[in-house]
Amino acid sequence: MRYPRNLLGYGRTPPDPKWPGGAYVAVQIVLNYEEGGENNVLHGDAASEAFLSDVIGAAPWPGQRHANVESMYEYGARAGFWRLWKYFTANRLPVTVYGVATALMRAPQQVAAMLEADWEIASHGLKWIQHKDMPEAEERAAIVEAIRLHAVATGERPYGWYTGRSSLATVDLVSEEGGFDYVSDTYDDDLPYWRPHRGRPQLVIPYSLANNDMRFVTAPGFDNGEEYHTFLKDSFDVLYEEGRLGSPKMMSLGLHCRLVGMPGRFAGLRKFLDYVRSKDKVWIARRIDIAHHWARHHPYEAPDYVPSEMDRTQFVGHFGSIFEHSPWIAERAFDGELGPASDTATGLHFALRSQFRMASDEERLGVLRAHPDLAGKLAQARRLTEASTSEQASAGLDALTDGERGQFEELNAAYVAKFGFPFIIAVRDNTKDMILSAMHTRVGNDRHTEFKTACGQVERIALLRLRAILPEL
């Protein structure tokens, strides 16, 4: 069973994005333009809009218009947009607009102003509505229509996409459309990343709802512009410091004309952006600029194989020998839950090791007995597995003197006679002398202790084998 969610990402060592000028952080300003594209019976919808307005406790009104909500959305188009536009253009701040196609079609003056300022206009879908229950065919058709209307309104198709109120299928459907430089319907990272889908890599530039002015009208949220400014500044300062220490990231700032376009809220935004502008080593960029930068400096590289995407035969063929002569461990791991977290050495080791640990004592004893004696008869007869041959050679066990070989044979015999399984140690972690010392010590253990120790060494050997063939984060 494949678990589709990726809970690992870049792990402990994210890549250096190589932002222009050695910037410590890339700041990206998004202005969501939704006014005129929201739920409204005038637009053919079943009910009025209730989301992201200053009407306390707003609920959809089936079959009715909601005068107050409509008026608040109109404020965004009539006043809020222009307040933001004047500040951004006066300070030459690059902006990405998430434009709802039907809203853009009702905003000729605003669209002209966006184009005049050289803002990127990405798509925010056909209408500002909920997609979670929308059939895939309907959502696919809406994407196509959004692209068509977007080109009519702006003169060019969009190259970035963000639905917002998305379905589980949204990112896949937009990826399948094939014409987008990036998709932003995720909130799962501070850096862009490539997401393969049906053999095609799609760049994802994650968005953020934490640094979003929607929290002025959602709980828990911002009560005033100063709280908003403080939160944004704290977020920026953490990212700026991480970048200074060698791990640059991206900060997405989500805005709405009808929300942060209000004077008291705008004051907090202006204060924050003035602070950002006072700093050096900051790249303020449109999302399309980030997409092009990432594709240039971090192009997609297809892995040779992806464990969680293999079929059962392939998986067992590749990993059935990681635990010596015990393919049943790989079979059980495949039948369990594999996902993107299983595609690194540590992740796949966890999946295999879990099956080994859940096995019965008798089954685990069989794994121990499948291991060869160190420098024993199988080695001398060159009948070891390829992995065991390489491992024993790494510690010089393939070039023993007659005296050393005699010590190994004597200790192996004593160990097997006492415990019923061969002496096992991760030889790649040890020298020949260290191994002999460990054999002298461990032969004195009781069986319970030594069984546990041997199982731990088997797990260590498996991890080292996986690290030789899989990437590690």
Side-chain angles (χ1 to χ4, degrees):
M1 180 178 71
R2 189 175 192 276
Y3 186 71
R5 298 172 63 200
N6 188 333
L7 302 177
L8 177 60
Y10 289 121
R12 68 180 70 186
T13 54
D16 179 356
K18 299 182 175 64
W19 297 139
Y24 297 152
V25 61
V27 175
Q28 206 292 292
I29 302 168
V30 167
L31 181 60
N32 294 268
Y33 196 88
E34 300 155 353
E35 290 76 11
E38 77 276 18
N39 281 287
N40 193 312
V41 295
L42 293 176
H43 306 158
D45 300 307
S48 61
E49 186 58 73
F51 191 46
L52 297 188
S53 78
D54 279 299
V55 175
I56 297 173
W61 289 359
Q64 287 185 265
R65 295 171 62 188
H66 195 308
N68 289 349
V69 172
E70 282 188 26
S71 185
M72 290 172 184
Y73 271 76
E74 288 159 12
Y75 180 93
R78 292 163 54 109
F81 172 83
W82 298 108
R83 177 170 290 116
L84 295 166
W85 182 84
K86 288 175 182 177
Y87 172 79
F88 293 145
T89 55
N91 292 285
R92 298 182 179 180
L93 290 171
V95 172
T96 289
V97 175
Y98 284 164
V100 173
T102 50
L104 296 177
M105 290 294 290
R106 297 184 174 106
Q109 295 293 337
Q110 292 90 338
V111 169
M114 295 172 194
L115 295 173
E116 178 186 324
D118 194 29
W119 292 356
E120 175 201 3
I121 309 178
S123 182
H124 199 6
L126 178 62
K127 300 172 71 173
W128 177 230
I129 59 175
Q130 183 59 260
H131 292 72
K132 70 179 181 67
D133 298 320
M134 188 178 287
E136 285 192 19
E138 184 179 340
E139 186 173 4
R140 185 179 285 107
I143 292 168
V144 172
E145 179 63 3
I147 294 169
R148 185 186 75 83
L149 287 183
H150 192 104
V152 170
T154 70
E156 187 176 27
R157 66 151 292 155
Y159 295 100
W161 182 278
Y162 174 73
T163 296
R165 298 156 86 172
S166 58
S167 74
L168 282 174
T170 296
V171 177
D172 286 347
L173 294 176
V174 177
S175 300
E176 289 168 21
E177 191 278 334
F180 289 99
D181 290 340
Y182 70 90
V183 179
S184 287
D185 276 298
T186 72
Y187 311 91
D188 52 3
D189 216 300
D190 295 314
L191 288 172
Y193 61 88
W194 294 100
R195 179 183 184 271
H197 175 66
R198 294 188 176 179
R200 175 188 292 163
Q202 173 65 62
L203 184 64
V204 175
I205 303 181
Y207 192 43
S208 171
L209 297 185
N211 304 320
N212 195 298
D213 66 358
M214 66 183 288
R215 294 180 58 198
F216 279 115
V217 292
T218 58
F222 307 120
D223 286 334
N224 52 65
E226 188 58 34
E227 284 189 0
Y228 177 52
H229 159 257
T230 298
F231 183 84
L232 295 181
K233 180 178 179 298
D234 286 348
S235 300
F236 173 85
D237 285 346
V238 168
L239 293 171
Y240 191 86
E241 179 66 6
E242 289 180 358
R244 188 185 69 80
L245 295 174
S247 185
K249 304 292 192 329
M250 180 182 73
M251 179 177 179
S252 295
L253 188 63
L255 311 174
H256 297 77
C257 302
R258 63 192 177 279
L259 300 180
V260 82
M262 290 282 182
R265 295 165 179 165
F266 172 73
L269 173 66
R270 180 177 59 191
K271 186 175 180 180
F272 168 67
L273 288 174
D274 287 349
Y275 173 73
V276 170
R277 291 170 53 238
S278 74
K279 295 284 191 177
D280 62 356
K281 299 286 187 178
V282 177
W283 183 37
I284 304 176
R286 304 174 305 173
R287 291 178 91 75
I288 194 68
D289 300 325
I290 291 174
H292 291 164
H293 174 89
W294 199 266
R296 186 166 57 252
H297 291 275
H298 299 278
Y300 177 71
E301 296 180 4
D304 293 333
Y305 54 84
V306 180
S308 66
E309 295 180 359
M310 290 178 167
D311 63 32
R312 197 172 194 271
T313 300
Q314 291 174 320
F315 184 84
V316 175
H318 270 80
F319 306 113
S321 62
I322 294 299
F323 281 75
E324 193 86 0
H325 295 298
S326 303
W328 59 267
I329 295 177
E331 292 168 352
R332 291 183 188 179
F334 184 89
D335 295 338
E337 182 179 275
L338 295 176
S342 309
D343 295 332
T344 65
T346 294
L348 186 54
H349 180 254
F350 186 90
L352 296 169
R353 185 197 69 188
S354 294
Q355 296 302 325
F356 177 63
R357 290 182 177 180
M358 290 189 288
S360 67
D361 286 349
E362 190 62 30
E363 288 173 317
R364 287 190 290 161
L365 178 60
V367 176
L368 301 187
R369 288 174 172 167
H371 279 259
D373 290 339
L374 292 182
K377 293 179 179 179
L378 287 178
Q380 295 172 40
R382 302 185 181 278
R383 291 172 54 198
L384 296 179
T385 64
E386 183 177 345
S388 289
T389 298
S390 175
E391 288 158 359
Q392 294 205 21
S394 71
L397 302 186
D398 62 339
L400 299 175
T401 66
D402 290 342
E404 289 170 334
R405 185 173 294 107
Q407 288 185 70
F408 272 100
E409 289 176 352
E410 181 180 340
L411 287 167
N412 276 329
Y415 187 95
V416 173
K418 182 173 182 179
F419 300 116
F421 51 85
F423 176 82
I424 300 170
I425 193 169
V427 294
R428 291 191 184 277
D429 292 334
N430 297 274
T431 65
K432 177 174 55 181
D433 290 339
M434 291 167 65
I435 294 169
L436 278 170
S437 176
M439 292 179 81
H440 279 290
T441 300
R442 285 172 50 185
V443 77
N445 287 339
D446 62 78
R447 192 178 189 283
H448 173 78
T449 299
E450 193 53 26
F451 183 81
K452 182 178 180 181
T453 301
C455 286
Q457 290 298 306
V458 165
E459 293 179 3
R460 176 65 181 170
I461 292 167
L463 177 59
L464 295 173
R465 290 177 176 179
L466 286 168
R467 283 178 175 171
I469 59 175
L470 279 178
E472 188 64 284
L473 294 181

